mmCIF file of all heavy atoms in Angstrom:
data_model
loop_
_atom_site.group_PDB
_atom_site.id
_atom_site.type_symbol
_atom_site.label_atom_id
_atom_site.label_comp_id
_atom_site.label_asym_id
_atom_site.label_seq_id
_atom_site.Cartn_x
_atom_site.Cartn_y
_atom_site.Cartn_z
ATOM 1 N N TRP U 77 -72.673 -56.811 -35.066
ATOM 2 C CA TRP U 77 -72.791 -56.173 -36.378
ATOM 3 C C TRP U 77 -74.191 -56.388 -36.965
ATOM 4 O O TRP U 77 -74.776 -55.480 -37.555
ATOM 5 C CB TRP U 77 -71.723 -56.745 -37.313
ATOM 6 C CG TRP U 77 -71.761 -56.190 -38.689
ATOM 7 C CD1 TRP U 77 -72.203 -56.809 -39.826
ATOM 8 C CD2 TRP U 77 -71.358 -54.870 -39.095
ATOM 9 N NE1 TRP U 77 -72.097 -55.977 -40.902
ATOM 10 C CE2 TRP U 77 -71.578 -54.782 -40.490
ATOM 11 C CE3 TRP U 77 -70.838 -53.764 -38.427
ATOM 12 C CZ2 TRP U 77 -71.289 -53.624 -41.215
ATOM 13 C CZ3 TRP U 77 -70.550 -52.621 -39.160
ATOM 14 C CH2 TRP U 77 -70.775 -52.552 -40.518
ATOM 15 N N PHE U 140 -71.803 -38.178 -10.565
ATOM 16 C CA PHE U 140 -72.875 -38.343 -11.543
ATOM 17 C C PHE U 140 -74.138 -38.893 -10.882
ATOM 18 O O PHE U 140 -75.253 -38.590 -11.320
ATOM 19 C CB PHE U 140 -72.417 -39.277 -12.668
ATOM 20 C CG PHE U 140 -71.613 -38.591 -13.728
ATOM 21 C CD1 PHE U 140 -70.372 -39.076 -14.107
ATOM 22 C CD2 PHE U 140 -72.088 -37.459 -14.354
ATOM 23 C CE1 PHE U 140 -69.625 -38.449 -15.093
ATOM 24 C CE2 PHE U 140 -71.359 -36.809 -15.344
ATOM 25 C CZ PHE U 140 -70.116 -37.317 -15.707
ATOM 26 N N GLY U 165 -100.256 -21.676 -11.414
ATOM 27 C CA GLY U 165 -101.458 -21.351 -12.182
ATOM 28 C C GLY U 165 -101.438 -21.771 -13.631
ATOM 29 O O GLY U 165 -102.463 -21.728 -14.303
#
Side-chain angles (χ1 to χ4, degrees):
W77 179 254
F140 277 127

